[in-house]
Amino acid sequence: MGITLEELLASREARALRQKDYLRDYPEGTLVCLTVIMPGSVKRDSASLITAQAAVTATVSAFGRSLVTLELRDLPTGYEAYMVTSLPCLQAKAETCRIEDSHPLGRLFDLDVIGSDGIPVSRTAVGKAPRGCLLCPNTAAYCMRNRTHTQEELLKRIGEMIDAYVQ
């Protein structure tokens, strides 16, 4: 079942408010916010749940003892996880980039490290290139902005990645 644009926008606003709460409640920690990259209006299905579970497992394993708190949320607008780590912000960002770049489903993970100012830390802050497109050599931002690929093409590629992962 798909969600509306209004539901998507409301969920983003609610996520931003929740992030502010975490930043306030854990001023000495670093906030990591996990969501699943899933194009289209269906944000919660078996593919997104497999991806979310893989992302949480990889992230919890990577942060290990530095993990201060973890909240998992399974919402109609998509899966979310909020983690606070004792690692410094740039070290946490380097670790999330390593996860996104090395895990078989990492390209479908959106692991944001939120700075104390509430702004996500960019990949370039730790010397990494912007995320690549799922289907071509361009950056993901370029292809999204220009609508280079159809939703069907993207979902087909995501399905292939998940099938290869679970087999």
Side-chain angles (χ1 to χ4, degrees), residues 59-90:
T59 307
V60 167
S61 175
F63 285 110
R65 294 180 192 257
S66 76
L67 203 58
V68 175
T69 188
L70 170 66
E71 177 187 10
L72 307 174
R73 301 188 74 208
D74 185 1
L75 306 169
T77 52
Y79 196 87
E80 300 175 353
Y82 299 85
M83 301 170 219
V84 176
T85 177
S86 60
L87 296 178
C89 197
L90 291 179

mmCIF file of all heavy atoms in Angstrom, residues 59-90:
data_model
loop_
_atom_site.group_PDB
_atom_site.id
_atom_site.type_symbol
_atom_site.label_atom_id
_atom_site.label_comp_id
_atom_site.label_asym_id
_atom_site.label_seq_id
_atom_site.Cartn_x
_atom_site.Cartn_y
_atom_site.Cartn_z
ATOM 1 N N THR A 59 24.927 -1.849 11.172
ATOM 2 C CA THR A 59 25.262 -0.642 11.911
ATOM 3 C C THR A 59 25.515 -0.937 13.383
ATOM 4 O O THR A 59 26.495 -0.458 13.967
ATOM 5 C CB THR A 59 24.147 0.410 11.739
ATOM 6 O OG1 THR A 59 23.902 0.592 10.339
ATOM 7 C CG2 THR A 59 24.552 1.743 12.337
ATOM 8 N N VAL A 60 24.650 -1.733 13.987
ATOM 9 C CA VAL A 60 24.841 -2.100 15.396
ATOM 10 C C VAL A 60 26.166 -2.856 15.553
ATOM 11 O O VAL A 60 26.927 -2.608 16.500
ATOM 12 C CB VAL A 60 23.645 -2.919 15.919
ATOM 13 C CG1 VAL A 60 23.947 -3.568 17.257
ATOM 14 C CG2 VAL A 60 22.411 -2.023 16.019
ATOM 15 N N SER A 61 26.465 -3.738 14.628
ATOM 16 C CA SER A 61 27.723 -4.485 14.676
ATOM 17 C C SER A 61 28.921 -3.542 14.546
ATOM 18 O O SER A 61 29.906 -3.673 15.281
ATOM 19 C CB SER A 61 27.743 -5.526 13.560
ATOM 20 O OG SER A 61 28.986 -6.171 13.510
ATOM 21 N N ALA A 62 28.843 -2.587 13.630
ATOM 22 C CA ALA A 62 29.960 -1.667 13.395
ATOM 23 C C ALA A 62 30.193 -0.730 14.582
ATOM 24 O O ALA A 62 31.333 -0.472 14.956
ATOM 25 C CB ALA A 62 29.702 -0.852 12.131
ATOM 26 N N PHE A 63 29.128 -0.235 15.178
ATOM 27 C CA PHE A 63 29.285 0.711 16.285
ATOM 28 C C PHE A 63 29.550 0.012 17.616
ATOM 29 O O PHE A 63 30.135 0.599 18.515
ATOM 30 C CB PHE A 63 28.083 1.647 16.373
ATOM 31 C CG PHE A 63 28.087 2.706 15.308
ATOM 32 C CD1 PHE A 63 27.175 2.680 14.277
ATOM 33 C CD2 PHE A 63 29.025 3.722 15.333
ATOM 34 C CE1 PHE A 63 27.196 3.650 13.287
ATOM 35 C CE2 PHE A 63 29.061 4.699 14.353
ATOM 36 C CZ PHE A 63 28.143 4.665 13.325
ATOM 37 N N GLY A 64 29.125 -1.231 17.729
ATOM 38 C CA GLY A 64 29.452 -2.043 18.895
ATOM 39 C C GLY A 64 29.244 -1.351 20.219
ATOM 40 O O GLY A 64 28.193 -0.790 20.501
ATOM 41 N N ARG A 65 30.275 -1.372 21.046
ATOM 42 C CA ARG A 65 30.195 -0.832 22.410
ATOM 43 C C ARG A 65 30.034 0.683 22.442
ATOM 44 O O ARG A 65 29.702 1.228 23.495
ATOM 45 C CB ARG A 65 31.430 -1.230 23.204
ATOM 46 C CG ARG A 65 31.523 -2.712 23.450
ATOM 47 C CD ARG A 65 32.783 -3.029 24.250
ATOM 48 N NE ARG A 65 33.043 -4.445 24.250
ATOM 49 C CZ ARG A 65 32.774 -5.231 25.279
ATOM 50 N NH1 ARG A 65 32.228 -4.750 26.348
ATOM 51 N NH2 ARG A 65 33.058 -6.514 25.204
ATOM 52 N N SER A 66 30.277 1.359 21.342
ATOM 53 C CA SER A 66 30.113 2.820 21.329
ATOM 54 C C SER A 66 28.645 3.217 21.231
ATOM 55 O O SER A 66 28.309 4.393 21.397
ATOM 56 C CB SER A 66 30.896 3.444 20.175
ATOM 57 O OG SER A 66 30.224 3.249 18.934
ATOM 58 N N LEU A 67 27.780 2.245 20.987
ATOM 59 C CA LEU A 67 26.343 2.531 20.866
ATOM 60 C C LEU A 67 25.769 2.847 22.245
ATOM 61 O O LEU A 67 25.870 2.061 23.173
ATOM 62 C CB LEU A 67 25.633 1.328 20.244
ATOM 63 C CG LEU A 67 24.315 1.583 19.544
ATOM 64 C CD1 LEU A 67 24.450 2.587 18.419
ATOM 65 C CD2 LEU A 67 23.766 0.280 18.996
ATOM 66 N N VAL A 68 25.146 4.021 22.338
ATOM 67 C CA VAL A 68 24.580 4.491 23.598
ATOM 68 C C VAL A 68 23.098 4.132 23.689
ATOM 69 O O VAL A 68 22.616 3.687 24.726
ATOM 70 C CB VAL A 68 24.765 6.023 23.745
ATOM 71 C CG1 VAL A 68 24.078 6.561 24.987
ATOM 72 C CG2 VAL A 68 26.246 6.377 23.729
ATOM 73 N N THR A 69 22.377 4.315 22.594
ATOM 74 C CA THR A 69 20.953 4.000 22.563
ATOM 75 C C THR A 69 20.540 3.673 21.131
ATOM 76 O O THR A 69 21.203 4.079 20.178
ATOM 77 C CB THR A 69 20.096 5.159 23.132
ATOM 78 O OG1 THR A 69 18.745 4.723 23.257
ATOM 79 C CG2 THR A 69 20.149 6.392 22.258
ATOM 80 N N LEU A 70 19.448 2.932 21.022
ATOM 81 C CA LEU A 70 18.927 2.509 19.721
ATOM 82 C C LEU A 70 17.408 2.495 19.792
ATOM 83 O O LEU A 70 16.835 1.900 20.710
ATOM 84 C CB LEU A 70 19.445 1.109 19.375
ATOM 85 C CG LEU A 70 18.831 0.393 18.177
ATOM 86 C CD1 LEU A 70 19.153 1.116 16.881
ATOM 87 C CD2 LEU A 70 19.335 -1.049 18.114
ATOM 88 N N GLU A 71 16.773 3.158 18.830
ATOM 89 C CA GLU A 71 15.310 3.119 18.715
ATOM 90 C C GLU A 71 14.965 2.681 17.302
ATOM 91 O O GLU A 71 15.434 3.272 16.330
ATOM 92 C CB GLU A 71 14.699 4.498 18.973
ATOM 93 C CG GLU A 71 13.193 4.505 18.801
ATOM 94 C CD GLU A 71 12.557 5.890 18.886
ATOM 95 O OE1 GLU A 71 13.276 6.903 18.896
ATOM 96 O OE2 GLU A 71 11.308 5.930 18.902
ATOM 97 N N LEU A 72 14.139 1.658 17.181
ATOM 98 C CA LEU A 72 13.686 1.142 15.890
ATOM 99 C C LEU A 72 12.228 1.523 15.704
ATOM 100 O O LEU A 72 11.427 1.356 16.622
ATOM 101 C CB LEU A 72 13.835 -0.375 15.844
ATOM 102 C CG LEU A 72 15.223 -0.924 16.196
ATOM 103 C CD1 LEU A 72 15.184 -2.439 16.244
ATOM 104 C CD2 LEU A 72 16.259 -0.431 15.209
ATOM 105 N N ARG A 73 11.892 1.993 14.507
ATOM 106 C CA ARG A 73 10.506 2.374 14.224
ATOM 107 C C ARG A 73 10.096 1.793 12.878
ATOM 108 O O ARG A 73 10.713 2.073 11.859
ATOM 109 C CB ARG A 73 10.379 3.897 14.194
ATOM 110 C CG ARG A 73 10.807 4.507 15.531
ATOM 111 C CD ARG A 73 10.522 5.960 15.611
ATOM 112 N NE ARG A 73 9.084 6.113 15.795
ATOM 113 C CZ ARG A 73 8.396 7.170 15.388
ATOM 114 N NH1 ARG A 73 8.974 8.153 14.775
ATOM 115 N NH2 ARG A 73 7.102 7.235 15.613
ATOM 116 N N ASP A 74 9.050 1.007 12.884
ATOM 117 C CA ASP A 74 8.497 0.392 11.682
ATOM 118 C C ASP A 74 7.194 1.124 11.366
ATOM 119 O O ASP A 74 6.170 0.884 11.996
ATOM 120 C CB ASP A 74 8.257 -1.098 11.950
ATOM 121 C CG ASP A 74 7.785 -1.848 10.722
ATOM 122 O OD1 ASP A 74 7.660 -1.237 9.642
ATOM 123 O OD2 ASP A 74 7.526 -3.057 10.844
ATOM 124 N N LEU A 75 7.255 2.051 10.419
ATOM 125 C CA LEU A 75 6.140 2.935 10.105
ATOM 126 C C LEU A 75 5.623 2.695 8.687
ATOM 127 O O LEU A 75 6.377 2.231 7.829
ATOM 128 C CB LEU A 75 6.587 4.398 10.233
ATOM 129 C CG LEU A 75 7.219 4.795 11.568
ATOM 130 C CD1 LEU A 75 7.847 6.178 11.462
ATOM 131 C CD2 LEU A 75 6.189 4.741 12.669
ATOM 132 N N PRO A 76 4.368 3.038 8.405
ATOM 133 C CA PRO A 76 3.864 2.917 7.028
ATOM 134 C C PRO A 76 4.670 3.749 6.028
ATOM 135 O O PRO A 76 4.738 3.429 4.850
ATOM 136 C CB PRO A 76 2.427 3.446 7.130
ATOM 137 C CG PRO A 76 2.062 3.334 8.568
ATOM 138 C CD PRO A 76 3.336 3.491 9.343
ATOM 139 N N THR A 77 5.305 4.809 6.527
ATOM 140 C CA THR A 77 6.113 5.682 5.661
ATOM 141 C C THR A 77 7.551 5.197 5.536
ATOM 142 O O THR A 77 8.362 5.854 4.893
ATOM 143 C CB THR A 77 6.100 7.123 6.211
ATOM 144 O OG1 THR A 77 6.477 7.089 7.596
ATOM 145 C CG2 THR A 77 4.737 7.751 6.059
ATOM 146 N N GLY A 78 7.836 4.057 6.118
ATOM 147 C CA GLY A 78 9.163 3.466 6.006
ATOM 148 C C GLY A 78 9.788 3.172 7.343
ATOM 149 O O GLY A 78 9.343 3.641 8.391
ATOM 150 N N TYR A 79 10.825 2.392 7.301
ATOM 151 C CA TYR A 79 11.534 1.967 8.495
ATOM 152 C C TYR A 79 12.513 3.062 8.901
ATOM 153 O O TYR A 79 13.175 3.653 8.052
ATOM 154 C CB TYR A 79 12.274 0.675 8.181
ATOM 155 C CG TYR A 79 12.732 -0.063 9.395
ATOM 156 C CD1 TYR A 79 11.897 -0.954 10.033
ATOM 157 C CD2 TYR A 79 13.996 0.140 9.914
ATOM 158 C CE1 TYR A 79 12.307 -1.650 11.162
ATOM 159 C CE2 TYR A 79 14.420 -0.549 11.036
ATOM 160 C CZ TYR A 79 13.570 -1.432 11.654
ATOM 161 O OH TYR A 79 13.984 -2.111 12.767
ATOM 162 N N GLU A 80 12.620 3.325 10.192
ATOM 163 C CA GLU A 80 13.551 4.310 10.727
ATOM 164 C C GLU A 80 14.259 3.714 11.930
ATOM 165 O O GLU A 80 13.676 2.924 12.668
ATOM 166 C CB GLU A 80 12.826 5.568 11.223
ATOM 167 C CG GLU A 80 12.042 6.314 10.199
ATOM 168 C CD GLU A 80 11.253 7.481 10.778
ATOM 169 O OE1 GLU A 80 11.208 7.643 12.026
ATOM 170 O OE2 GLU A 80 10.691 8.225 9.968
ATOM 171 N N ALA A 81 15.498 4.110 12.112
ATOM 172 C CA ALA A 81 16.225 3.769 13.331
ATOM 173 C C ALA A 81 17.016 4.996 13.748
ATOM 174 O O ALA A 81 17.553 5.731 12.909
ATOM 175 C CB ALA A 81 17.156 2.584 13.103
ATOM 176 N N TYR A 82 17.045 5.218 15.055
ATOM 177 C CA TYR A 82 17.801 6.320 15.642
ATOM 178 C C TYR A 82 18.823 5.710 16.577
ATOM 179 O O TYR A 82 18.471 4.915 17.457
ATOM 180 C CB TYR A 82 16.873 7.258 16.421
ATOM 181 C CG TYR A 82 15.819 7.889 15.549
ATOM 182 C CD1 TYR A 82 14.625 7.223 15.290
ATOM 183 C CD2 TYR A 82 16.023 9.124 14.962
ATOM 184 C CE1 TYR A 82 13.653 7.785 14.477
ATOM 185 C CE2 TYR A 82 15.054 9.703 14.151
ATOM 186 C CZ TYR A 82 13.876 9.023 13.912
ATOM 187 O OH TYR A 82 12.909 9.572 13.098
ATOM 188 N N MET A 83 20.082 6.055 16.369
ATOM 189 C CA MET A 83 21.161 5.518 17.190
ATOM 190 C C MET A 83 22.004 6.671 17.686
ATOM 191 O O MET A 83 22.287 7.608 16.934
ATOM 192 C CB MET A 83 22.052 4.597 16.362
ATOM 193 C CG MET A 83 21.333 3.436 15.745
ATOM 194 S SD MET A 83 22.397 2.590 14.568
ATOM 195 C CE MET A 83 21.184 2.215 13.316
ATOM 196 N N VAL A 84 22.419 6.594 18.917
ATOM 197 C CA VAL A 84 23.387 7.543 19.446
ATOM 198 C C VAL A 84 24.646 6.753 19.759
ATOM 199 O O VAL A 84 24.587 5.696 20.402
ATOM 200 C CB VAL A 84 22.863 8.272 20.697
ATOM 201 C CG1 VAL A 84 23.938 9.188 21.281
ATOM 202 C CG2 VAL A 84 21.612 9.073 20.361
ATOM 203 N N THR A 85 25.774 7.257 19.271
ATOM 204 C CA THR A 85 27.062 6.633 19.509
ATOM 205 C C THR A 85 27.967 7.612 20.251
ATOM 206 O O THR A 85 27.788 8.828 20.141
ATOM 207 C CB THR A 85 27.718 6.192 18.180
ATOM 208 O OG1 THR A 85 29.018 5.654 18.442
ATOM 209 C CG2 THR A 85 27.859 7.333 17.191
ATOM 210 N N SER A 86 28.919 7.070 20.969
ATOM 211 C CA SER A 86 29.885 7.918 21.666
ATOM 212 C C SER A 86 31.038 8.329 20.756
ATOM 213 O O SER A 86 31.890 9.119 21.165
ATOM 214 C CB SER A 86 30.418 7.194 22.911
ATOM 215 O OG SER A 86 31.049 5.983 22.538
ATOM 216 N N LEU A 87 31.053 7.837 19.523
ATOM 217 C CA LEU A 87 32.113 8.224 18.588
ATOM 218 C C LEU A 87 31.971 9.690 18.200
ATOM 219 O O LEU A 87 30.847 10.202 18.087
ATOM 220 C CB LEU A 87 32.042 7.376 17.319
ATOM 221 C CG LEU A 87 32.293 5.881 17.431
ATOM 222 C CD1 LEU A 87 32.133 5.210 16.067
ATOM 223 C CD2 LEU A 87 33.681 5.613 17.996
ATOM 224 N N PRO A 88 33.085 10.352 17.922
ATOM 225 C CA PRO A 88 33.007 11.722 17.392
ATOM 226 C C PRO A 88 32.280 11.724 16.048
ATOM 227 O O PRO A 88 32.276 10.719 15.313
ATOM 228 C CB PRO A 88 34.471 12.130 17.226
ATOM 229 C CG PRO A 88 35.254 11.193 18.090
ATOM 230 C CD PRO A 88 34.460 9.915 18.138
ATOM 231 N N CYS A 89 31.710 12.846 15.720
ATOM 232 C CA CYS A 89 30.858 12.985 14.536
ATOM 233 C C CYS A 89 31.540 12.502 13.244
ATOM 234 O O CYS A 89 30.957 11.710 12.498
ATOM 235 C CB CYS A 89 30.450 14.452 14.427
ATOM 236 S SG CYS A 89 29.060 14.751 13.355
ATOM 237 N N LEU A 90 32.746 12.976 12.967
ATOM 238 C CA LEU A 90 33.401 12.597 11.708
ATOM 239 C C LEU A 90 33.804 11.125 11.693
ATOM 240 O O LEU A 90 33.751 10.481 10.646
ATOM 241 C CB LEU A 90 34.606 13.500 11.433
ATOM 242 C CG LEU A 90 34.259 14.944 11.097
ATOM 243 C CD1 LEU A 90 35.532 15.755 10.865
ATOM 244 C CD2 LEU A 90 33.334 15.039 9.879
#
